[in-house]
Amino acid sequence: MNARPLTRPGELLEAVPGLIVTQHSGEGKANQYFLRGYNLDHGTDMAIFVDDVPVNMRTHAHGQGYADLNWLMPETVNSLDIRKGPYFADEGDFGSAGNLHIGLIDSVPKAVAQITAGSFGYRRIFGMDSTRLGAKPGDGTLLIAGEAATYNGPWANPDDMRKLNALVRYTQGTALDGFSVTGMAYSNRWNSTDQVPQRALASGQIGLYGAEDPTDGGNTNRFALSARGAGTDDAGSWKANAFIVKSELDLFNNFTYFLNDPVLGDQFHQHDDRIVAGANASRTLDGSLDGRPMQTTFGVQTRYDDIDLALTDTFQRSFLSNVRSDKVGEGSVGVYAQNMVRWTDWLRTTLGWRGDYYTANVSSIFDANNSGHVSAGIGSPKFTMVLGPFNKTEFFLGAGTGMHSNDARGATITEDPVDPATKLSASPLLVRTKGAEAGVRSKIVPGLDSSLSAFLLDQDSEIIFSGDAGDTSASRPSRRYGLEWTNRYRPVSWLDVDADLAMTHARFLGFDSDQAALYDSLAGFPQAQIGNAPGNYIPNAPAMVASAGITLGEKTGPFGGLRWRYLASSPLTEDNAFRSPATSVFNGRIGYRDSNGWRIQLDVLNLLNTKANQITYAYGSLIKTDNLYHLCYPVQTAPAAVCQNGVMDYVLHPVEPLTIRLTLAGAF
């Protein structure tokens, strides 16, 4: 993974076949993720764990499942375990599309110090060292790592990112028989050039790297303490972990410019301050069934979030008015059991069941009618089967149901926080997902590890809480099916080649009568109406994702690599009237390592200086040069629905131009 040139830490996850990691804002905000035909926003339906600590934040100010990885130091990563689909009993919330478990290193053979300098004010200092605490074989190891980084980016309004990060980790024993205690601290502040409307670029009102609101940005911090242990005995094995995380985010965004406030603009402030605590434990018993090897696992997973939330309207980060403020306590417990039997040398099955129970108390500070208590439970059966290997080839099958939680505020809401006279329907707290998958893995070609799978994912009807607006919006049932083809080829020790392709068909089910009514209300104003017709396309659901890379070099001497990532054109509105352009980007690396651990490395990001978009959306907004702006303000002559919708247009965040970063690293 560390052989990959990275623009930002979250891109480390692109080692996952079919996963695209991008950014539509500044370098302190959580990444945008795409997997299996999902625009996962900042993490919904993809569960991420680091050292068994959950990263996804539920009932979050900016979006359900918000998963910020800007605090992850790539050099401290040891492994990335990937499981896709709702087929595994020990995976719960947010895991319908994928479950990613990131492991951390325990020690380094020598102290590491490195400095990186690059284009657009990129500067980073990183250091890491470990030491044995005692001379006895059972004594533990202390690992310390830290970084400081700055970055401005190509933006007319510089990001002015300032990041500090630290990790302290004590380990004793092994991953199967031992324990570890890990502490982390992280702080970041930044400006952000969010997505901008294409019409403003076309008219020359702003440049490609300009901003409609130069005061967007934010600051965040995260402090975490976790412990984990594992052991084996004559009966089987066990493992357990516990964690406490304190995080805070203040985020200032303006996505619609002057749609809601034609004078001061639409900037809003989202505040999230929380403490997350939890503990998990599992016990695996080895046994037999009529002489056939069998393993049975029982587990329990708990979590509690104590959350302070606020949404306010702002102007240049200054307070204007409150939208809503809430205190939320949300707890959950998950229990599971799974049984694996090796029926023959070529057949094994795993049958499991998971039960989840959630409860939440919402105290709405400004509107008691949106306060309340809600609870829900859901059961999820799981099944997997593996046939083989036959001539270094095995076939696999998975089926099961899963779930994700919705924002607790959406489950207790009764009225619009901006207009209490408008009554709203509450959303379900838990939403079910159903999935199935079949495929084949083969190593029949020497050096080649290849797999091909076909999958199906159905999601029930749900009502999603919008953190940006403070209210709920309806969503229909959806269905996704597709193919994934993954290849890793290592013919010789100094050459690695990988190539992945994922294709997905994603559609809503049923007819959207609310969208049809909105479309009719915009008649006579094509600048607002086009893109609002009812349809079954799922916005930002990519039909194809592809990547390929080649890595050259031994542990010492020259090394290099070239990577390509491709995100195909996607529908941006339900009627497919707006589609994103495809994005194709190459990144490269060359360097030299000596036998003493010293390294010099040059990364070239966006090697071909491609003009493309990190992400593209299409929705209604207003800027002061729009003709529609003058029909809505100061004297409104256009219908209210048209003024509330604004001009439908592409809004985009461009890929950074060709960027170089030079790293010098030493081992001591």
Side-chain angles (χ1 to χ4, degrees), residues 52-87:
D52 288 338
V53 178
V55 177
N56 304 76
M57 296 295 170
R58 56 200 190 189
T59 309
H60 190 272
H62 186 67
Q64 183 71 347
Y66 187 86
D68 181 11
L69 281 172
N70 287 294
W71 48 267
L72 185 66
M73 292 178 278
E75 296 86 353
T76 66
V77 172
N78 180 57
S79 64
L80 174 57
D81 294 329
I82 307 151
R83 292 196 288 183
K84 297 178 184 176
Y87 324 126

Side-chain angles (χ1 to χ4, degrees), residues 193-197 200-201 205-206 210-216 254 257-258 622-624:
T193 299
D194 288 322
Q195 63 259 26
V196 294
L201 300 178
Q205 178 180 331
I206 60 175
E212 276 292 336
D213 192 334
T215 64
D216 286 354
N254 184 347
Y257 320 119
F258 293 93
L622 273 183
I623 55 178
K624 290 186 175 181

Side-chain angles (χ1 to χ4, degrees), residues 172-416:
Q172 186 171 311
T174 67
L176 297 179
D177 281 286
F179 72 92
S180 65
V181 179
T182 304
M184 297 181 176
Y186 161 74
S187 177
N188 195 353
R189 65 176 179 85
W190 69 96
N191 299 320
S192 62
T193 299
D194 288 322
Q195 63 259 26
V196 294
Q198 183 168 279
R199 61 191 184 279
L201 300 178
S203 68
Q205 178 180 331
I206 60 175
L208 180 61
Y209 304 108
E212 276 292 336
D213 192 334
T215 64
D216 286 354
N219 57 78
T220 187
N221 58 67
R222 179 184 185 273
F223 303 92
L225 179 65
S226 62
R228 56 185 296 194
T232 58
D233 52 37
D234 293 339
S237 62
W238 63 271
K239 63 179 181 179
N241 76 299
F243 56 88
I244 183 168
V245 179
K246 170 70 169 69
S247 69
E248 187 172 3
L249 173 69
D250 287 286
L251 194 61
F252 297 87
N253 291 125
N254 184 347
F255 299 136
T256 52
Y257 320 119
F258 293 93
L259 180 65
N260 300 316
D261 188 328
V263 178
L264 298 179
D266 298 349
Q267 189 184 77
F268 55 90
H269 170 211
Q270 293 166 314
H271 173 74
D272 188 288
D273 186 0
R274 71 177 61 212
I275 295 176
V276 183
N280 311 307
S282 67
R283 175 64 163 157
T284 298
L285 300 175
D286 297 329
S288 64
L289 178 64
D290 195 23
R292 299 175 177 89
M294 180 178 68
Q295 281 189 334
T296 304
T297 300
F298 303 93
V300 59
Q301 299 168 343
T302 64
R303 174 174 169 176
Y304 183 80
D305 294 52
D306 183 17
I307 319 166
D308 286 331
L309 298 157
L311 176 64
T312 62
D313 291 324
T314 55
F315 171 68
Q316 297 180 357
R317 300 200 190 189
S318 296
F319 173 82
L320 289 178
S321 60
N322 290 304
V323 178
R324 69 176 295 170
S325 181
D326 303 89
K327 291 185 178 296
V328 179
E330 183 170 357
S332 65
V333 58
V335 295
Y336 64 90
Q338 64 181 22
N339 176 262
M340 188 276 289
V341 180
R342 291 185 177 273
W343 299 97
T344 68
D345 291 340
W346 50 267
L347 172 64
R348 67 181 185 270
T349 61
T350 302
L351 183 65
W353 184 88
R354 179 183 181 90
D356 287 280
Y357 178 77
Y358 278 60
T359 182
N361 283 297
V362 178
S363 177
S364 186
I365 306 302
F366 304 124
D367 187 349
N369 291 328
N370 284 335
S371 300
H373 172 80
V374 63
S375 60
I378 195 168
S380 305
K382 319 278 187 175
F383 174 76
T384 60
M385 179 174 65
V386 178
L387 294 165
F390 308 108
N391 196 16
K392 298 183 179 179
T393 300
E394 65 180 16
F395 301 88
F396 57 89
L397 174 70
T401 65
M403 48 77 70
H404 75 235
S405 62
N406 274 337
D407 193 303
R409 293 170 295 175
T412 62
I413 199 169
T414 61
E415 56 193 35
D416 190 324

Side-chain angles (χ1 to χ4, degrees), residues 8-29:
R8 48 190 59 88
E11 291 180 5
L12 194 73
L13 299 189
E14 290 191 349
V16 176
L19 175 62
I20 291 290
V21 179
T22 186
Q23 180 59 274
H24 75 103
S25 189
E27 295 304 316
K29 189 176 180 181

Side-chain angles (χ1 to χ4, degrees), residues 599-621:
R599 170 172 50 93
I600 186 169
Q601 169 184 303
L602 178 68
D603 289 350
V604 184
L605 308 170
N606 192 4
L607 182 64
L608 302 182
N609 200 28
T610 302
K611 297 295 188 293
N613 299 335
Q614 286 276 9
I615 194 166
T616 310
Y617 303 100
Y619 56 76
S621 64

